[in-house]
Amino acid sequence: MIPIIAKISTTVRNLAQLYGLRLGFVFGSHVAPQATLKRAARLFSTPMASSRSRALAASTCGARQIELLVDDHRIAAYVWGDPKAQPYVLFAHGWSSHGTRIAAWLPQLRAEGYAVVAFDQPAHGRSPGRQATLPDFTRHLLAVGNHFGPAAAVIGHSLGGAATMLAMARGLQAERAVLIAPAADPVAAAERFAGLMWIGANLCQRMFSYFERIVGTTFDEQQTHRNAPVIGRPALIVHDLEDRDVPWSEGERYARYWPDSRLLTTRGLGHRRVLDDSGVITAGMRFLSGEEVGEHLVSSPNLPFGVA
């Protein structure tokens, strides 16, 4: 009975905090718009506090833990096997997640002779920091890839999928990519955040401009349909129809605009369980071995972002 009461108490407290934040943005946008803008931007780029404790509690599965220095940021990395002597797979985790989320894939990857490299993005897992953005995710993924050399494959989940696509478009060396529930549209992601927090359209647009000045690139420049077409490596896109965090349509967009890609659609796995699903892992391993997995999508002139 006590655990149930504690769970209800936590849920009520979280809802109260959410409504408090929402009301703060509603009133703040009228009373102190500039301060509210900065607060919204800070919240948008801050991982959930609970994710850190989950990461630290997760098993490292016997990994060799090392520390890399990227842009004066200390990055915690995990290595299984020997990337210098074996083909290796690089894993890119998602928002409010951590590198050891690759755990379910390790037995099959290691059995097939792959070394595996994962790491915690800034402000995630064991890597210090308070905030991160998609450009940070992309830049750090490129740096880790450059440190270990060309990879046999990259597996990216959620925002890590978007970072994988952007990194490969900017020169990350990998023979193949498996993107699981990848986010395709940072504009839509920011708008979903704004809707959740009751941030009005005007303040949301100003938040876009504020971020773009800070990171030096626009939200639009990071969208899939502007980057995937230049990537000349095969990709498997896996997305669940019932994903409530990143809509299935965003995975489908990858499959249309990435020239050599196929789409594997699942149902009932949502956004997180799809990464750990044994059927998805088996399909991913078949793809890594060179088999055709999923459906090849054909372009149409009636596309919302132009012809792929």
Side-chain angles (χ1 to χ4, degrees), residues 6-305:
K7 185 175 182 180
I8 293 173
S9 176
T10 300
T11 301
V12 170
R13 184 169 62 252
N14 290 342
L15 284 172
Q17 289 175 345
L18 175 60
Y19 277 101
L21 285 169
R22 286 170 166 174
L23 292 173
F25 284 125
V26 170
F27 290 112
S29 62
H30 297 288
V31 178
Q34 189 62 25
T36 304
L37 163 68
K38 292 182 178 180
R39 185 186 182 199
R42 185 169 60 252
L43 182 61
F44 182 62
S45 59
T46 302
M48 291 187 296
S50 60
S51 65
R52 181 83 75 175
S53 58
R54 287 198 305 270
L56 295 177
S59 171
T60 60
C61 303
R64 176 167 58 92
Q65 297 183 54
I66 64 173
E67 190 173 89
L68 304 175
L69 192 64
V70 180
D71 295 340
D72 295 325
H73 292 285
R74 290 185 291 111
I75 296 297
Y78 311 90
V79 182
W80 297 268
D82 185 356
K84 293 182 179 179
Q86 300 169 288
Y88 84 93
V89 172
L90 177 59
F91 175 61
H93 70 73
W95 185 252
S96 291
S97 187
H98 49 94
T100 53
R101 281 287 280 116
I102 192 61
W105 288 72
L106 289 174
Q108 289 202 47
L109 287 170
R110 299 291 291 125
E112 292 297 322
Y114 291 103
V116 180
V117 172
F119 67 102
D120 295 332
Q121 289 281 4
H124 290 74
R126 292 173 172 82
S127 294
R130 294 184 178 180
Q131 295 175 285
T133 63
L134 178 53
D136 292 328
F137 267 48
T138 303
R139 188 170 61 256
H140 286 79
L141 178 58
L142 269 167
V144 174
N146 289 337
H147 177 85
F148 287 98
V154 182
I155 299 174
H157 177 235
S158 190
L159 193 68
T164 296
M165 178 270 300
L166 290 169
M168 291 183 74
R170 288 155 176 71
L172 177 67
Q173 296 298 304
E175 291 299 316
R176 290 175 172 262
V178 178
L179 306 188
I180 302 171
D185 192 336
V187 174
E191 289 173 345
R192 288 194 293 270
F193 166 79
L196 175 68
M197 290 298 166
W198 296 355
I199 295 171
N202 181 56
L203 187 64
C204 182
Q205 190 57 51
R206 291 177 61 192
M207 187 177 75
F208 284 173
S209 300
Y210 177 76
F211 259 118
E212 289 169 355
R213 289 195 303 271
I214 292 175
V215 303
T217 186
T218 69
F219 278 65
D220 185 63
E221 289 170 346
Q222 299 172 81
Q223 295 201 73
T224 294
H225 64 279
R226 301 203 181 282
N227 293 275
V230 305
I231 302 174
R233 297 295 186 183
L236 174 64
I237 316 300
V238 183
H239 218 117
D240 194 83
L241 281 171
E242 299 173 16
D243 190 326
R244 295 182 179 181
D245 291 50
V246 179
W248 174 87
S249 60
E250 295 199 19
E252 191 263 354
R253 195 187 311 178
Y254 273 91
R256 278 193 279 119
Y257 285 92
W258 192 307
D260 188 4
S261 68
R262 300 177 78 89
L263 175 66
L264 176 64
T265 298
T266 63
R267 186 157 204 161
L269 297 175
H271 186 68
R272 292 170 182 79
R273 285 186 294 125
V274 66
L275 177 61
D276 303 322
D277 181 72
S278 60
V280 169
I281 295 171
T282 297
M285 296 303 301
R286 288 172 51 211
F287 170 74
L288 293 185
S289 70
E291 292 186 44
E292 288 189 349
V293 179
E295 299 177 284
H296 177 66
L297 301 190
V298 179
S299 178
S300 161
N302 302 311
L303 296 175
F305 305 100

